[in-house]
PDB file of all heavy atoms in Angstrom:
ATOM      1  N   ASP A 196       2.458   7.542 -16.750  1.00  0.00           N
ATOM      2  CA  ASP A 196       2.744   8.960 -16.368  1.00  0.00           C
ATOM      3  C   ASP A 196       3.120   8.982 -14.907  1.00  0.00           C
ATOM      4  O   ASP A 196       2.361   8.444 -14.071  1.00  0.00           O
ATOM      5  CB  ASP A 196       1.560   9.785 -16.642  1.00  0.00           C
ATOM      6  CG  ASP A 196       1.803  11.222 -16.265  1.00  0.00           C
ATOM      7  OD1 ASP A 196       2.531  11.935 -16.991  1.00  0.00           O
ATOM      8  OD2 ASP A 196       1.191  11.725 -15.284  1.00  0.00           O
ATOM      9  N   LEU A 197       4.152   9.705 -14.535  1.00  0.00           N
ATOM     10  CA  LEU A 197       4.593   9.768 -13.123  1.00  0.00           C
ATOM     11  C   LEU A 197       3.506  10.430 -12.281  1.00  0.00           C
ATOM     12  O   LEU A 197       3.228   9.916 -11.173  1.00  0.00           O
ATOM     13  CB  LEU A 197       5.896  10.528 -13.031  1.00  0.00           C
ATOM     14  CG  LEU A 197       6.459  10.801 -11.624  1.00  0.00           C
ATOM     15  CD1 LEU A 197       6.664   9.515 -10.868  1.00  0.00           C
ATOM     16  CD2 LEU A 197       7.769  11.673 -11.689  1.00  0.00           C
ATOM     17  N   ASN A 198       2.953  11.500 -12.704  1.00  0.00           N
ATOM     18  CA  ASN A 198       1.990  12.220 -11.954  1.00  0.00           C
ATOM     19  C   ASN A 198       0.709  11.369 -11.641  1.00  0.00           C
ATOM     20  O   ASN A 198       0.155  11.390 -10.553  1.00  0.00           O
ATOM     21  CB  ASN A 198       1.527  13.524 -12.650  1.00  0.00           C
ATOM     22  CG  ASN A 198       2.567  14.579 -12.459  1.00  0.00           C
ATOM     23  OD1 ASN A 198       3.423  14.596 -11.614  1.00  0.00           O
ATOM     24  ND2 ASN A 198       2.576  15.570 -13.427  1.00  0.00           N
ATOM     25  N   GLU A 199       0.376  10.587 -12.616  1.00  0.00           N
ATOM     26  CA  GLU A 199      -0.842   9.690 -12.424  1.00  0.00           C
ATOM     27  C   GLU A 199      -0.475   8.681 -11.373  1.00  0.00           C
ATOM     28  O   GLU A 199      -1.273   8.355 -10.471  1.00  0.00           O
ATOM     29  CB  GLU A 199      -1.139   8.941 -13.736  1.00  0.00           C
ATOM     30  CG  GLU A 199      -1.638   9.814 -14.875  1.00  0.00           C
ATOM     31  CD  GLU A 199      -3.201   9.782 -14.911  1.00  0.00           C
ATOM     32  OE1 GLU A 199      -3.825   9.294 -13.985  1.00  0.00           O
ATOM     33  OE2 GLU A 199      -3.742  10.307 -15.963  1.00  0.00           O
ATOM     34  N   TRP A 200       0.709   8.158 -11.402  1.00  0.00           N
ATOM     35  CA  TRP A 200       1.194   7.094 -10.435  1.00  0.00           C
ATOM     36  C   TRP A 200       1.246   7.739  -9.067  1.00  0.00           C
ATOM     37  O   TRP A 200       0.776   7.124  -8.085  1.00  0.00           O
ATOM     38  CB  TRP A 200       2.510   6.624 -10.868  1.00  0.00           C
ATOM     39  CG  TRP A 200       3.187   5.520 -10.095  1.00  0.00           C
ATOM     40  CD1 TRP A 200       4.358   5.557  -9.391  1.00  0.00           C
ATOM     41  CD2 TRP A 200       2.569   4.167  -9.880  1.00  0.00           C
ATOM     42  NE1 TRP A 200       4.561   4.317  -8.810  1.00  0.00           N
ATOM     43  CE2 TRP A 200       3.535   3.514  -9.066  1.00  0.00           C
ATOM     44  CE3 TRP A 200       1.427   3.508 -10.345  1.00  0.00           C
ATOM     45  CZ2 TRP A 200       3.291   2.133  -8.717  1.00  0.00           C
ATOM     46  CZ3 TRP A 200       1.210   2.250  -9.965  1.00  0.00           C
ATOM     47  CH2 TRP A 200       2.136   1.541  -9.196  1.00  0.00           C
ATOM     48  N   LEU A 201       1.784   8.906  -8.903  1.00  0.00           N
ATOM     49  CA  LEU A 201       1.800   9.613  -7.607  1.00  0.00           C
ATOM     50  C   LEU A 201       0.393   9.855  -7.093  1.00  0.00           C
ATOM     51  O   LEU A 201       0.162   9.687  -5.908  1.00  0.00           O
ATOM     52  CB  LEU A 201       2.599  10.974  -7.764  1.00  0.00           C
ATOM     53  CG  LEU A 201       4.150  10.846  -8.018  1.00  0.00           C
ATOM     54  CD1 LEU A 201       4.661  12.239  -8.197  1.00  0.00           C
ATOM     55  CD2 LEU A 201       4.849  10.107  -6.897  1.00  0.00           C
ATOM     56  N   ALA A 202      -0.463  10.322  -7.946  1.00  0.00           N
ATOM     57  CA  ALA A 202      -1.828  10.605  -7.536  1.00  0.00           C
ATOM     58  C   ALA A 202      -2.580   9.361  -6.984  1.00  0.00           C
ATOM     59  O   ALA A 202      -3.186   9.420  -5.922  1.00  0.00           O
ATOM     60  CB  ALA A 202      -2.647  11.175  -8.711  1.00  0.00           C
ATOM     61  N   VAL A 203      -2.487   8.263  -7.733  1.00  0.00           N
ATOM     62  CA  VAL A 203      -3.188   7.044  -7.269  1.00  0.00           C
ATOM     63  C   VAL A 203      -2.627   6.522  -6.004  1.00  0.00           C
ATOM     64  O   VAL A 203      -3.341   6.166  -5.041  1.00  0.00           O
ATOM     65  CB  VAL A 203      -3.120   5.919  -8.394  1.00  0.00           C
ATOM     66  CG1 VAL A 203      -3.653   4.672  -7.901  1.00  0.00           C
ATOM     67  CG2 VAL A 203      -3.939   6.403  -9.617  1.00  0.00           C
ATOM     68  N   ASN A 204      -1.338   6.584  -5.864  1.00  0.00           N
ATOM     69  CA  ASN A 204      -0.689   6.090  -4.653  1.00  0.00           C
ATOM     70  C   ASN A 204      -0.914   7.020  -3.440  1.00  0.00           C
ATOM     71  O   ASN A 204      -1.000   6.606  -2.308  1.00  0.00           O
ATOM     72  CB  ASN A 204       0.802   5.949  -4.912  1.00  0.00           C
ATOM     73  CG  ASN A 204       1.199   4.596  -5.514  1.00  0.00           C
ATOM     74  OD1 ASN A 204       1.274   3.636  -4.787  1.00  0.00           O
ATOM     75  ND2 ASN A 204       1.379   4.543  -6.842  1.00  0.00           N
ATOM     76  N   THR A 205      -1.011   8.326  -3.675  1.00  0.00           N
ATOM     77  CA  THR A 205      -1.317   9.232  -2.629  1.00  0.00           C
ATOM     78  C   THR A 205      -2.664   8.874  -1.984  1.00  0.00           C
ATOM     79  O   THR A 205      -2.757   8.856  -0.737  1.00  0.00           O
ATOM     80  CB  THR A 205      -1.398  10.639  -3.132  1.00  0.00           C
ATOM     81  OG1 THR A 205      -0.100  11.095  -3.666  1.00  0.00           O
ATOM     82  CG2 THR A 205      -1.755  11.615  -2.060  1.00  0.00           C
ATOM     83  N   VAL A 206      -3.680   8.518  -2.747  1.00  0.00           N
ATOM     84  CA  VAL A 206      -4.957   8.169  -2.233  1.00  0.00           C
ATOM     85  C   VAL A 206      -4.800   6.855  -1.486  1.00  0.00           C
ATOM     86  O   VAL A 206      -5.428   6.670  -0.364  1.00  0.00           O
ATOM     87  CB  VAL A 206      -5.988   8.057  -3.354  1.00  0.00           C
ATOM     88  CG1 VAL A 206      -7.289   7.464  -2.819  1.00  0.00           C
ATOM     89  CG2 VAL A 206      -6.256   9.433  -3.983  1.00  0.00           C
ATOM     90  N   ASP A 207      -4.093   5.904  -2.061  1.00  0.00           N
ATOM     91  CA  ASP A 207      -3.902   4.647  -1.353  1.00  0.00           C
ATOM     92  C   ASP A 207      -3.272   4.794  -0.018  1.00  0.00           C
ATOM     93  O   ASP A 207      -3.682   4.145   1.021  1.00  0.00           O
ATOM     94  CB  ASP A 207      -3.050   3.704  -2.260  1.00  0.00           C
ATOM     95  CG  ASP A 207      -3.883   2.576  -2.909  1.00  0.00           C
ATOM     96  OD1 ASP A 207      -5.102   2.736  -2.957  1.00  0.00           O
ATOM     97  OD2 ASP A 207      -3.282   1.579  -3.304  1.00  0.00           O
ATOM     98  N   PHE A 208      -2.240   5.578   0.083  1.00  0.00           N
ATOM     99  CA  PHE A 208      -1.558   5.719   1.330  1.00  0.00           C
ATOM    100  C   PHE A 208      -2.326   6.558   2.315  1.00  0.00           C
ATOM    101  O   PHE A 208      -2.264   6.337   3.608  1.00  0.00           O
ATOM    102  CB  PHE A 208      -0.132   6.404   1.116  1.00  0.00           C
ATOM    103  CG  PHE A 208       0.890   5.441   0.619  1.00  0.00           C
ATOM    104  CD1 PHE A 208       1.341   5.431  -0.664  1.00  0.00           C
ATOM    105  CD2 PHE A 208       1.463   4.415   1.497  1.00  0.00           C
ATOM    106  CE1 PHE A 208       2.311   4.516  -1.123  1.00  0.00           C
ATOM    107  CE2 PHE A 208       2.378   3.545   1.075  1.00  0.00           C
ATOM    108  CZ  PHE A 208       2.810   3.578  -0.252  1.00  0.00           C
ATOM    109  N   TYR A 209      -3.113   7.432   1.794  1.00  0.00           N
ATOM    110  CA  TYR A 209      -4.075   8.220   2.716  1.00  0.00           C
ATOM    111  C   TYR A 209      -4.983   7.200   3.339  1.00  0.00           C
ATOM    112  O   TYR A 209      -5.242   7.224   4.534  1.00  0.00           O
ATOM    113  CB  TYR A 209      -4.815   9.237   1.938  1.00  0.00           C
ATOM    114  CG  TYR A 209      -6.078   9.759   2.613  1.00  0.00           C
ATOM    115  CD1 TYR A 209      -5.993  10.732   3.526  1.00  0.00           C
ATOM    116  CD2 TYR A 209      -7.317   9.146   2.340  1.00  0.00           C
ATOM    117  CE1 TYR A 209      -7.162  11.142   4.237  1.00  0.00           C
ATOM    118  CE2 TYR A 209      -8.508   9.579   2.954  1.00  0.00           C
ATOM    119  CZ  TYR A 209      -8.391  10.629   3.884  1.00  0.00           C
ATOM    120  OH  TYR A 209      -9.538  11.041   4.520  1.00  0.00           O
ATOM    121  N   ASN A 210      -5.599   6.292   2.546  1.00  0.00           N
ATOM    122  CA  ASN A 210      -6.514   5.306   3.050  1.00  0.00           C
ATOM    123  C   ASN A 210      -5.841   4.405   4.086  1.00  0.00           C
ATOM    124  O   ASN A 210      -6.437   4.181   5.168  1.00  0.00           O
ATOM    125  CB  ASN A 210      -7.076   4.473   1.962  1.00  0.00           C
ATOM    126  CG  ASN A 210      -8.122   5.176   1.055  1.00  0.00           C
ATOM    127  OD1 ASN A 210      -8.812   6.035   1.558  1.00  0.00           O
ATOM    128  ND2 ASN A 210      -8.208   4.831  -0.210  1.00  0.00           N
ATOM    129  N   ALA A 211      -4.637   3.970   3.771  1.00  0.00           N
ATOM    130  CA  ALA A 211      -3.994   3.027   4.690  1.00  0.00           C
ATOM    131  C   ALA A 211      -3.622   3.722   6.028  1.00  0.00           C
ATOM    132  O   ALA A 211      -3.811   3.088   7.077  1.00  0.00           O
ATOM    133  CB  ALA A 211      -2.655   2.532   4.030  1.00  0.00           C
ATOM    134  N   THR A 212      -3.221   4.957   5.944  1.00  0.00           N
ATOM    135  CA  THR A 212      -2.819   5.663   7.180  1.00  0.00           C
ATOM    136  C   THR A 212      -4.064   5.940   8.015  1.00  0.00           C
ATOM    137  O   THR A 212      -4.030   5.790   9.239  1.00  0.00           O
ATOM    138  CB  THR A 212      -2.105   7.017   6.834  1.00  0.00           C
ATOM    139  OG1 THR A 212      -0.995   6.722   5.958  1.00  0.00           O
ATOM    140  CG2 THR A 212      -1.667   7.663   8.083  1.00  0.00           C
ATOM    141  N   SER A 213      -5.224   6.365   7.356  1.00  0.00           N
ATOM    142  CA  SER A 213      -6.381   6.699   8.108  1.00  0.00           C
ATOM    143  C   SER A 213      -6.942   5.457   8.783  1.00  0.00           C
ATOM    144  O   SER A 213      -7.382   5.562   9.920  1.00  0.00           O
ATOM    145  CB  SER A 213      -7.410   7.224   7.045  1.00  0.00           C
ATOM    146  OG  SER A 213      -8.702   7.405   7.720  1.00  0.00           O
TER     147      SER A 213
END
Side-chain angles (χ1 to χ4, degrees):
D196 179 74
L197 175 59
N198 285 338
E199 294 264 12
W200 184 240
L201 292 176
V203 172
N204 276 278
T205 298
V206 173
D207 252 21
F208 281 107
Y209 163 84
N210 285 331
T212 305
S213 175

